[in-house]
Amino acid sequence: MYRRRQPNPTRQEQRVASSIVVDLPVRVSPHVKRARVAIFTIFAVNGFLFAVWVVHIPMVERRTDTSHATLGSLLLLLAIGAIVGMQAAGRLSDRFGSNRLVMVSASMLAVALMGPALSTGVVTLGASLFLLGMCNGALDVAMNAQAVEVERMYPRPIMSAFHALFSVGGVLGSLIGAVTLGAELPIEISVGGAGVLGLIAIASCRSFLLRATHPSMSPDRSDSPALGWFSPRVLGLGALAFALFLSEGVANDWSSLQVKEHLGTSDGIAALAFGFFASAMTIGRFCADRISAQFGSVAVVRYGNLVAAAGMLLVLVSESLPLTLAGWAAFGLGLSGSIPQIFTSAGNLGSGAPATNMSRVVGMGYVGFLAGPAVIGWLSHVVPLTAAMAVPLALTLLAAATAGTVRPTHVEAERT
């Protein structure tokens, strides 16, 4: 017995059906909206607390009577602690839920902030920096895993906005730190007060974070604990994160020095380079979600990095301060949306444990962030500092060419 074959819809019918689907409003539950505000707060608190530590580094150095060289070595302990915390956080988030680990690691970070402030010698400072880095690394993975959970419940991308709030928190922490330093408040009061404010804000978020809505998938052979580091998708995303974090690290540490050396400006004028870069990156993160919703994550990474590469090329060839500052701004604007797309992709891979995948990608990116300033420092002994900026130029071009790495898998495609 034959069944009558249904005719395929015409193109006009497909367009009409598509428009009907697009126009249907997607309701987001109040609980998910509150979770979004809560994780916004956590990102801002993380940026705020870390900025408070950064602005107090000179005071800690004097208090512990350490040299620049010794402090530089001790800061490596902070980095090592961060990597350890990241890797532990992935498995803990998958087992117990990112919401729980966010609360634990954020609260520990607020308390650990007092460690360097109370240190009186090299040993205690080194131990406190390791703990501070471990708490910050664990929070980095946990809050991004929670952000992926929240984004999964939304009809549009929202990941970049979380990272923008981290930047806003950093600016707020820097300003408050500058005020307390100007008022010559004891470090115990200024840092302790920041920690208390952080704990209050963190506690207010506890009941609003999402429980696991996307349970860990059964790992296949390529994503098993023994072989997970060699998963092609994880390695591809990690390599992309490494390249872009390295480029961001270069801008953070060398942008002002590049302007000062290349154009012969004063320290105050040279500092504008980092200001332009950081401001453009913050603005870009607030805009990247809408661009991603309209054109897709691959477009954000590909064309964003082409803009970043154009900005860095301008820095390399410019002999004018306004053009150089414009180049650093374009570099920040172009980089701004890429990392959130990488993290979203890492948290939505089709196999393996989501937070564990996230921890691996974030860990590889963080290594790049640490390596960037060192690589440029070594190159500056051989070539002028401006010429060394060819490294981030090449890496952003490579990122643009490999932007397809962040293409959504079937898990993310089903969400959209």
Side-chain angles (χ1 to χ4, degrees):
M1 182 176 183
Y2 295 96
R3 290 185 178 181
R4 182 180 179 183
R5 184 178 179 182
Q6 296 295 325
N8 292 326
T10 65
R11 291 186 178 180
Q12 179 64 29
E13 290 171 336
Q14 289 176 341
R15 283 196 294 269
V16 171
S18 175
S19 65
I20 293 174
V21 172
V22 171
D23 290 339
L24 285 175
V26 179
R27 294 185 179 276
V28 179
S29 71
H31 176 59
V32 175
K33 291 181 179 179
R34 289 192 293 268
R36 181 191 182 196
V37 174
I39 202 65
F40 272 154
T41 303
I42 295 294
F43 269 80
V45 168
N46 187 198
F48 170 77
L49 292 176
F50 202 75
V52 168
W53 146 245
V54 169
V55 299
H56 283 88
I57 288 178
M59 185 178 290
V60 170
E61 185 182 46
R62 291 193 301 271
R63 181 186 178 93
T64 55
D65 195 25
T66 57
S67 65
H68 293 333
T70 301
L71 180 62
S73 299
L74 291 175
L75 288 174
L76 287 176
L77 291 174
L78 186 146
I80 294 170
I83 294 173
V84 171
M86 287 174 185
Q87 301 317 305
R91 295 184 183 279
L92 291 172
S93 290
D94 285 321
R95 182 171 182 178
F96 300 107
S98 61
N99 58 320
R100 293 178 178 176
L101 197 63
V102 164
M103 293 303 301
V104 171
S105 57
S107 300
M108 289 180 63
L109 176 63
V111 175
L113 198 66
M114 284 299 297
L118 297 175
S119 297
T120 56
V122 173
V123 175
T124 53
L125 179 58
S128 63
L129 288 178
F130 180 84
L131 179 61
L132 182 68
M134 189 168 62
C135 296
N136 192 68
L139 177 58
D140 201 351
V141 169
M143 68 184 187
N144 275 289
Q146 178 71 189
V148 169
E149 293 284 349
V150 174
E151 186 183 44
R152 196 177 287 118
M153 306 297 290
Y154 263 76
R156 58 181 175 81
I158 57 173
M159 191 67 165
S160 292
F162 292 122
H163 289 254
L165 263 293
F166 176 88
S167 299
V168 171
V171 172
L172 182 61
S174 299
L175 292 174
I176 292 179
V179 170
T180 59
L181 287 170
E184 298 183 351
L185 288 178
I187 190 172
E188 296 88 350
I189 294 178
S190 56
V191 174
V196 170
L197 288 175
L199 286 171
I200 294 171
I202 293 163
S204 70
C205 300
R206 180 179 180 275
S207 60
F208 302 117
L209 297 177
L210 291 181
R211 296 180 180 179
T213 59
H214 189 66
S216 300
M217 290 164 274
S218 299
D220 59 20
R221 290 181 59 87
S222 65
D223 284 312
S224 65
L227 300 177
W229 282 103
F230 302 99
S231 164
R233 285 282 291 169
V234 170
L235 279 177
L237 291 168
L240 194 57
F242 177 90
L244 297 180
F245 267 114
L246 190 151
S247 300
E248 184 179 342
V250 168
N252 286 341
D253 284 29
W254 294 104
S255 56
S256 297
L257 289 172
Q258 183 273 329
V259 171
K260 179 177 175 62
E261 179 185 291
H262 187 60
L263 301 179
T265 66
S266 66
D267 290 342
I269 296 297
L272 290 174
F274 176 71
F276 272 67
F277 167 80
S279 298
M281 176 167 275
T282 302
I283 293 170
R285 283 174 172 171
F286 277 116
C287 301
D289 286 329
R290 295 188 180 277
I291 297 173
S292 178
Q294 185 72 24
F295 301 104
S297 57
V298 175
V300 172
V301 176
R302 175 167 292 130
Y303 297 109
N305 278 282
L306 288 176
V307 170
M312 186 51 65
L313 181 61
L314 185 58
V315 169
L316 279 167
V317 302
S318 172
E319 299 292 337
S320 162
L321 178 63
L323 288 179
T324 300
L325 294 178
W328 281 113
F331 190 64
L333 186 66
L335 286 180
S336 61
S338 294
I339 292 298
Q341 310 308 316
I342 294 171
F343 286 178
T344 291
S345 185
N348 287 292
L349 295 181
S351 59
T356 300
N357 288 332
M358 176 82 71
S359 70
R360 293 165 178 168
V361 172
V362 174
M364 285 185 270
Y366 192 72
V367 171
F369 189 79
L370 298 174
V375 168
I376 299 302
W378 295 330
L379 284 177
S380 65
H381 291 292
V382 182
V383 299
L385 182 57
T386 298
M389 295 300 158
V391 171
L393 170 61
L395 289 176
T396 48
L397 287 173
L398 180 63
T402 58
T405 306
V406 303
R407 194 179 307 279
T409 61
H410 69 277
V411 174
E412 177 67 6
E414 288 173 2
R415 183 185 71 83
T416 56

